Amino acid sequence: MFAPGPNSPIKNTDYRVVLPFYAYAALSFLLATIIISTDVGAFTQSHFNAKALAVTHTMALGWGTMMILGASHQLFPVLIEGKLYSNFLAHSSFILGALSIPLLIYGFYTFNFGVLAQTGAVGINLAVIAYLLNLSLSIKDSKSRNVHAVSAFTAVIWLLFTTLIGLLLLFNFQHPFLPEASVHYLSLHAHMGIIGWFLLMVVGVGARLIPMFLISKYENKKTLWWVYGLINAGLTLYIYVFFTDNHAILSLAPIALIAIALALFASFIYKAYQKRIRKSVDEQVKTSLLSVGMLSIPLVVILAFVILMANWGHRQFLTLYGFSIFFGWISAIIIGMTFKTLPFIVWNKVYHKIAGLGKTPNPKDLFKSNLFMGNIIAYVLGFMIFCAGILLTDTVLLNIGATLLLINAVLYNANVFFILFHQAKLK
């Protein structure tokens, strides 16, 4: 998630392509926290219930995916040292996703997997196809092939597999045609999205952005290629284990491969931090660094679940696993990177043509730092308290955590829209 700065030699993607994604993602984040705060009891039940499904897909599609799609329209040209192939395909991806995601979420919220939900799922797949086509044609016209661009492109392929499986499962609920019930395939659907889409994209792109924002000299492409290979190998092995019903020792192998990949990634980021030129690290980058540490939470949770094998905490572990992914490392890196990237995009929009007419503010001055700090404090406290509430099945803790997460989302939205509505101010 990167926007070229005012003096960047890379051609900026039209801001009209990128900004709607940021606005949509912010509002989706707010919606998810509202749903949570209205009924925390859903997180003391089985993870397969209407509210939990609605929140999960609001976070996965409306928040995480829409934000990544938008930001990567700005970032991908930088990774391939070229330009985005088509603004039309980019706009199509947004419109299809923006119209379709609410249909799917409403279907989950009402636990109705009929025509509305199915129409939403079809539209989401079309949005992903438009996005993948745009990236494919952009790469075709580019001469650059690096681990960051390859990771991003591979992640989108996994995203398409994820959404296609989701579409099949929706139809299977209404008109069974698969060998097993749709619930049987939910873990496959979820992990293709979590590992193949989110993890591969966040790790691949984060390895480019975090050192850049730290102004670090450290670079180790070999390590990053190992990370790329291990993540894909881990997910592929997981799929094999899933379809062969081999749940013995082999079921731990995918976890081991992903754990090694995350350890290598964490080591890469730590070395980049050590060799940084900019000694003072701003709060936005600190939040992104926090997200790297938070990657270990779902890994520990799922390992504990596999070892305990449905003993104490079966329901709580599964709920905590999903929550720690979508409200944990994914949200942390998005929150941090939003206020490193969005100000640059809006700065270019507002000041690009008038920069020489007077003194302009710095991009970092386009958002309110006090709102950002309040956002982060509410987010960290809310996340930790809600996690404790899940483990202890304590509705008091869940309500406190949900309220703090809602406050966090309100402050985040206030700051995002403060940037989006910024008007030129020359001195």
Side-chain angles (χ1 to χ4, degrees):
M1 284 175 284
F2 166 66
N7 299 316
S8 172
I10 303 296
K11 182 180 179 180
N12 291 327
T13 301
D14 190 331
Y15 67 86
R16 286 167 291 193
V17 167
V18 180
L19 296 185
F21 286 95
Y22 276 85
Y24 193 95
L27 292 173
S28 297
F29 187 38
L30 179 60
L31 175 62
T33 60
I34 290 173
I35 297 174
I36 283 182
S37 63
T38 58
D39 185 12
V40 297
F43 290 85
T44 63
Q45 306 167 18
S46 165
H47 62 285
F48 190 73
N49 67 74
K51 297 289 179 65
L53 287 172
V55 169
T56 299
H57 286 84
T58 302
M59 292 294 289
L61 296 170
W63 170 236
T65 297
M66 288 296 271
M67 179 64 81
I68 293 174
L69 293 185
S72 62
H73 280 112
Q74 187 80 34
L75 168 65
F76 206 70
V78 179
L79 297 182
I80 64 174
E81 298 178 5
K83 64 179 182 178
L84 189 67
Y85 178 80
S86 169
N87 285 346
F88 172 78
L89 286 173
H91 287 303
S92 299
S93 180
F94 173 77
I95 293 170
L96 286 165
L99 294 177
S100 302
I101 290 171
L103 298 179
L104 184 64
I105 292 171
Y106 180 78
F108 286 127
Y109 191 81
T110 59
F111 219 63
N112 183 339
F113 306 135
V115 175
L116 276 180
Q118 292 168 5
T119 301
V122 170
I124 289 166
N125 275 275
L126 292 175
V128 174
I129 290 170
Y131 176 69
L132 180 58
L133 179 61
N134 208 1
L135 263 56
S136 300
L137 294 171
S138 300
I139 289 178
K140 179 177 176 292
D141 293 339
S142 170
K143 296 180 180 179
S144 178
R145 301 288 188 276
N146 57 66
V147 65
H148 311 291
V150 172
S151 293
F153 185 76
T154 307
V156 183
I157 294 175
W158 283 117
L159 173 62
L160 182 58
F161 286 149
T162 304
T163 57
L164 284 173
I165 290 175
L167 176 63
L168 293 177
L169 297 187
L170 269 181
F171 279 98
N172 193 60
F173 271 116
Q174 296 292 104
H175 309 285
F177 62 92
L178 295 174
E180 303 283 349
S182 292
V183 175
H184 173 76
Y185 300 98
L186 287 182
S187 62
L188 176 66
H189 169 62
H191 284 96
M192 276 192 177
I194 291 168
I195 300 172
W197 167 233
F198 285 116
L199 183 60
L200 190 58
M201 176 66 83
V202 169
V203 167
V205 173
R208 171 74 172 87
L209 298 186
I210 294 176
M212 181 184 66
F213 287 130
L214 288 170
I215 312 182
S216 175
K217 294 181 178 180
Y218 182 73
E219 184 176 1
N220 190 331
K221 294 179 180 179
K222 184 178 179 180
T223 295
L224 296 180
W225 279 115
W226 270 104
V227 172
Y228 171 82
L230 286 167
I231 290 175
N232 282 285
L235 180 53
T236 303
L237 183 57
Y238 168 79
I239 295 171
Y240 170 77
V241 171
F242 181 89
F243 282 111
T244 56
D245 283 331
N246 189 334
H247 300 297
I249 297 298
L250 186 59
S251 65
L252 293 175
I255 299 176
L257 292 175
I258 299 298
I260 295 170
L262 294 182
L264 289 174
F265 175 66
S267 174
F268 176 89
I269 295 298
Y270 178 70
K271 290 175 181 177
Y273 179 84
Q274 283 185 315
K275 297 184 179 181
R276 70 192 188 281
I277 296 174
R278 176 180 288 168
K279 297 305 177 183
S280 61
V281 180
D282 59 38
E283 299 302 324
Q284 304 95 291
V285 176
K286 286 180 181 177
T287 305
S288 299
L289 292 173
L290 173 66
S291 76
V292 177
M294 294 174 82
L295 279 166
S296 63
I297 298 176
L299 186 65
V300 171
V301 171
I302 198 62
L303 183 60
F305 171 72
V306 170
I307 293 174
L308 291 173
M309 291 303 291
N311 290 325
W312 178 86
H314 174 273
R315 183 179 65 246
Q316 295 97 311
F317 273 117
L318 287 178
T319 303
L320 180 61
Y321 176 66
F323 181 82
S324 64
I325 288 170
F326 294 111
F327 282 89
W329 59 268
I330 290 176
S331 290
I333 196 165
I334 289 177
I335 292 171
M337 287 299 171
T338 294
F339 299 104
K340 291 297 291 184
T341 61
L342 184 58
F344 278 107
I345 299 170
V346 174
W347 191 99
N348 280 316
K349 166 197 168 187
V350 175
Y351 295 105
H352 178 70
K353 294 182 179 179
I354 62 173
L357 301 179
K359 185 177 180 181
T360 64
N362 291 320
K364 66 179 181 179
D365 296 327
L366 270 59
F367 70 95
K368 299 289 187 180
S369 58
N370 56 341
L371 284 181
F372 178 78
M373 288 306 301
N375 173 187
I376 295 305
I377 292 170
Y379 165 69
V380 172
L381 290 176
F383 175 77
M384 292 192 300
I385 293 172
F386 203 92
C387 284
I390 291 173
L391 277 178
L392 300 174
T393 321
D394 188 322
T395 55
V396 174
L397 290 177
L398 289 171
N399 275 303
I400 294 172
T403 301
L404 287 168
L405 288 172
L406 177 58
I407 293 171
N408 141 65
V410 169
L411 294 176
Y412 175 84
N413 270 263
N415 231 352
V416 165
F417 283 95
F418 182 81
I419 298 170
L420 290 174
F421 290 120
H422 178 80
Q423 299 297 316
K425 297 177 183 178
L426 296 176
K427 296 182 181 178

